[in-house]
């Protein structure tokens, strides 16, 4: 059985899978090297980042299927709702739950790390 290749068709699904695996890895390593409190912050940040990305992807698919006249307003509304919800969740996690801010920031960067890893993978496997 050959491993599945990452193509243009499954790129976003692969990115989410890579980020989920990276989230698990970062959480475990953080738990072992730093502390449980830090690891919970990392895990929460990863969850927020991945959820935000999936929500953005879903909103863009819906907006791109709308008539041009409605698309701009709908895109702006969805963006503001997503931004407000993400800000509220981060406020709850920092202020009310008392999560480690540095762990949360590391977790929030999981998507950036995943994009960089996927870019390197695609460069190495495209012959470039």
């Amino acid at each position: 059985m050959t491993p599945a290749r990452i193509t243009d068709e499954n790129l976003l699904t692969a990115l989410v899978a890579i980020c989920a695996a990276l989230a698990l890895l970062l959480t475990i390593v953080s738990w072992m090297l730093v502390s449980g409190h830090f690891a919970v912050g990392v895990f929460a940040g990863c969850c927020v980042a991945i959820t935000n990305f999936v929500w953005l992807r879903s909103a863009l698919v819906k907006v791109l299927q709308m008539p041009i006249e409605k698309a701009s307003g709908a895109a702006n509304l969805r963006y503001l709702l997503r931004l407000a919800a993400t800000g509220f969740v981060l406020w709850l996690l920092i202020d009310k739950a008392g999560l480690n801010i540095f762990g949360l920031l590391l977790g929030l960067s999981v998507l950036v790390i995943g994009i960089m890893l996927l870019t390197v993978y695609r460069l190495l496997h495209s012959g470039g």
Side-chain angles (χ1 to χ4, degrees), residues 77-116:
L77 179 64
R78 290 173 191 267
Y79 172 77
L80 290 173
L81 283 172
R82 189 174 52 83
L83 183 65
T86 303
F88 181 71
V89 167
L90 289 174
W91 173 75
L92 285 175
L93 291 173
I94 293 168
D95 192 49
K96 301 301 180 190
L99 292 184
N100 185 296
I101 294 174
F102 297 110
L104 194 62
L105 288 173
L106 177 62
L108 288 171
S109 66
V110 73
L111 201 60
V112 175
I113 298 167
I115 290 170
M116 289 190 304

Side-chain angles (χ1 to χ4, degrees), residues 54-72:
V54 171
W55 189 2
L56 172 65
R57 178 182 175 190
S58 168
L60 286 176
V61 167
K62 289 178 185 174
V63 167
L64 290 173
Q65 295 172 349
M66 291 180 174
I68 295 173
E69 304 82 35
K70 294 181 180 180
S72 177

